[in-house]
Amino acid sequence: MEKKPFVNLEQLKEIVETYPTPFHLYDEKGIRENAEKVRQAFAWNPGFKEYFAVKATPTPAILKILKEYGFGTDCSSATELMMSDAVGFSGHDIMFSSNDTPLEEFKLADDLGAIINLDDFTHIACVEQVLGHIPETISCRFNPGGVFTISNGIMDNPGDAKYGMTEDQIFEAFRILKEKGAKRFGIHSFLVSNTVTNDYYPMLAAKLFDLAVRLQKETGAEVAFINLSGGVGVPYRPDQEPNDIMAIGEGVRREYEKILIPAGMGNVAIYAEMGRFMLAPYGCLVTKAIHEKHTYKEYIGVDACAVNLMRPAMYGAYHHITVMGKEDWPCDHKYDVVGSLCENNDKFAIDRMLPEIQKGDLLVIHDTGAHGFSMGYNYNGKLRSAELLLKTDGSVEMIRRAETPRDYFATLDVCEEMKKYL
Ligand SMILES: *Cc1c(COP(=O)(O)O)cnc(C)c1O
């Protein structure tokens, strides 16, 4: 599928008059249309709820939009819990799916009334120790081990992943939790990341539904919800077909009707914790070409770097790049598009065929709406960029300002000599 930015050059030129590059730009219209589709795809399940994975885009203005669709948040840390609370999520609208959890974070989650999703069997004792009780609603994360393969060969190795409990452990966990007063149980599992196929959720659902039937039968615990978690992907590459969320919802419904309904479990709610699918395509990183360099390769230096978007450096991830205003030019130049970090993996693209780039050209790096800004860091003393929202009426709102040196130095007892920079 051809990848087109959600803004054009004219709009961007106007935006950069007010907000200097680099910045992340989000598309409110795209976010809303997609959120509405997600809601429709699972409307057959009255209890359905999407808990947006806050770590993907921890920005209150974005969370507020998603809240309008009845979604909750999925948090992995204390600060994500705090942000969810501040934005107005409360009680069971918050899922706390963390791992290697600091004990005091269980306390904060419980104080907010969040649903706690236990990553490990031993966390039962931890929760009991810090809360003094076991919450009535509780969830357990399942890891089937081995290798999980889906139709188009996409697979992952749950057996190598640090998350979740074994099957024996989850049975034992349900028995113990029930004994200790838990009344409503959930099952959670996340087996493959960024799946670009409509089969992942249905296949995962079948596995978890089957487990749920056996768990309920053998332990007597009431399974109230099944959480398919994240993992629904997006087409980062132009040759990939996007997922069809309606087909995914129907696929889950088929398994529900095949496995849960005959077992008398037609009340089970389906939960999701999608991050990437909810936001990735509706954000981009806007950056300007500031240098060209001709050595053993052709380089374009841009004013963004890996601190603004870490995925290419960290996983070799592909992010499509559009040179604005040159969409129809031939892609007859081979470039490495690089940032300024003193790290040779700070490359947004390697050997990428692009139109000829001149200094001053604006580049749009696609699909940075999830796991983009949020993975940012401060290596080389680089500062995090602003985040902007392109609103449905075409106006632009700054939803997070760029960092300043004062932010960078804020954790130091600044010496007199440095004060002149603040
Ligand atoms: C990261 C994460 C998600 C979101 O994953 P996506 O791939 O962005 O959909 C959901 N749940 C948990 C527990 C996670 O760690």
Side-chain angles (χ1 to χ4, degrees):
M1 210 184 65
E2 194 192 347
K3 293 190 77 77
K4 284 192 174 157
F6 55 80
V7 280
N8 60 37
L9 181 59
E10 268 57 64
Q11 286 172 295
L12 274 187
K13 276 186 175 160
E14 202 180 312
I15 296 169
V16 299
E17 273 173 27
T18 313
Y19 305 103
T21 54
F23 52 79
H24 284 269
L25 181 67
Y26 301 92
D27 174 24
E28 182 181 8
K29 184 160 167 283
I31 295 169
R32 286 186 180 279
E33 285 170 1
N34 183 64
E36 184 52 39
K37 264 193 244 160
V38 167
R39 193 158 69 173
Q40 280 170 20
F42 290 91
W44 56 268
N45 183 256
F48 174 76
K49 197 171 185 81
E50 150 71 3
Y51 289 88
F52 176 67
V54 176
K55 72 168 194 261
T57 325
T59 308
I62 300 289
L63 301 183
K64 277 181 193 157
I65 295 173
L66 297 174
K67 190 167 185 296
E68 288 180 36
Y69 296 82
F71 299 161
T73 56
D74 163 39
C75 301
S76 61
S77 65
T79 47
E80 290 180 1
L81 286 167
M82 292 170 195
M83 185 181 288
S84 297
D85 176 42
V87 167
F89 295 93
S90 62
H92 286 185
D93 287 345
I94 305 175
M95 182 71 62
F96 186 51
S97 285
S98 72
N99 72 93
D100 187 23
T101 313
L103 297 201
E104 61 278 9
E105 297 192 0
F106 284 128
K107 178 83 173 73
L108 177 58
D110 190 64
D111 286 347
L112 296 176
I115 301 176
I116 294 176
N117 181 34
L118 301 174
D119 179 70
D120 189 44
F121 181 77
T122 60
H123 292 181
I124 299 172
C126 299
V127 165
E128 201 175 26
Q129 182 197 326
V130 282
L131 306 187
H133 67 276
I134 291 293
E136 287 200 352
T137 299
I138 192 96
S139 174
C140 292
R141 184 165 183 168
F142 173 57
N143 181 338
V147 174
F148 189 75
T149 311
I150 40 188
S151 58
N152 61 358
I154 293 184
M155 50 154 251
D156 218 326
N157 248 340
D160 279 343
K162 66 173 176 169
Y163 311 108
M165 309 181 192
T166 67
E167 181 158 320
D168 285 349
Q169 287 172 339
I170 203 171
F171 272 85
E172 190 59 13
F174 270 45
R175 282 191 198 99
I176 292 173
L177 289 165
K178 184 162 181 275
E179 239 170 60
K180 293 182 182 290
K183 294 201 164 44
R184 299 174 70 254
F185 289 74
I187 304 171
H188 169 285
S189 195
F190 187 161
L191 301 185
V192 195
S193 196
N194 191 31
T195 56
V196 191
T197 158
N198 297 330
D199 297 336
Y200 169 63
Y201 257 15
M203 287 185 68
L204 173 66
K207 209 173 184 64
L208 297 184
F209 294 168
D210 170 69
L211 176 67
V213 171
R214 289 185 291 125
L215 272 169
Q216 183 156 311
K217 201 178 289 172
E218 288 178 34
T219 68
E222 185 211 328
V223 177
F225 59 88
I226 290 172
N227 186 343
L228 302 175
S229 186
V232 180
V234 299
Y236 287 101
R237 293 173 178 275
D239 59 357
Q240 290 175 309
E241 278 300 310
N243 285 331
D244 176 354
I245 195 68
M246 296 310 285
I248 290 174
E250 274 307 300
V252 174
R253 185 223 282 256
R254 268 197 302 278
E255 300 299 338
Y256 194 99
E257 287 175 355
K258 201 159 81 193
I259 303 169
L260 288 183
I261 303 267
M265 295 171 68
N267 289 330
V268 172
I270 301 299
Y271 292 169
E273 296 173 342
M274 291 179 277
R276 195 184 313 273
F277 186 79
M278 301 309 299
L279 251 300
Y282 315 110
C284 63
L285 175 58
V286 179
T287 183
K288 191 192 286 174
I290 55 171
H291 290 288
E292 49 182 286
K293 176 166 178 170
H294 317 278
T295 52
Y296 306 102
K297 299 185 86 172
E298 293 295 298
Y299 294 99
I300 292 296
V302 295
D303 60 4
C305 61
V307 306
N308 307 112
L309 176 66
M310 197 187 198
R311 298 185 71 260
M314 187 155 169
Y315 319 110
Y318 180 96
H319 278 265
H320 199 66
I321 295 178
T322 299
V323 183
M324 297 306 289
K326 299 186 175 176
E327 289 84 344
D328 300 327
W329 291 31
C331 291
D332 54 1
H333 282 65
K334 192 193 267 186
Y335 291 120
D336 280 16
V337 178
V338 306
S340 56
L341 294 190
C342 306
E343 273 280 6
N344 197 40
N345 65 358
D346 185 14
K347 298 184 175 184
F348 292 115
I350 298 175
D351 295 333
R352 183 80 56 91
M353 297 307 296
L354 290 166
E356 182 171 18
I357 297 173
Q358 267 101 28
K359 283 194 264 181
D361 280 350
L362 290 171
L363 275 60
V364 160
I365 302 180
H366 291 241
D367 301 317
T368 68
H371 312 295
F373 177 92
S374 62
M375 266 190 203
Y377 56 118
N378 281 119
Y379 195 47
N380 280 203
K382 297 286 175 178
L383 304 176
R384 289 180 177 80
S385 78
E387 292 180 291
L388 309 178
L389 181 65
L390 176 64
K391 312 230 298 189
T392 41
D393 66 6
S395 65
V396 170
E397 183 187 333
M398 183 165 68
I399 54 177
R400 185 194 300 268
R401 67 163 171 81
E403 279 181 346
T404 64
R406 180 183 288 274
D407 299 310
Y408 183 71
F409 295 128
T411 49
L412 301 170
D413 281 332
V414 177
C415 59
E416 279 306 310
E417 291 81 356
M418 214 181 261
K419 282 207 172 126
K420 68 180 177 200
Y421 294 113
L422 305 184

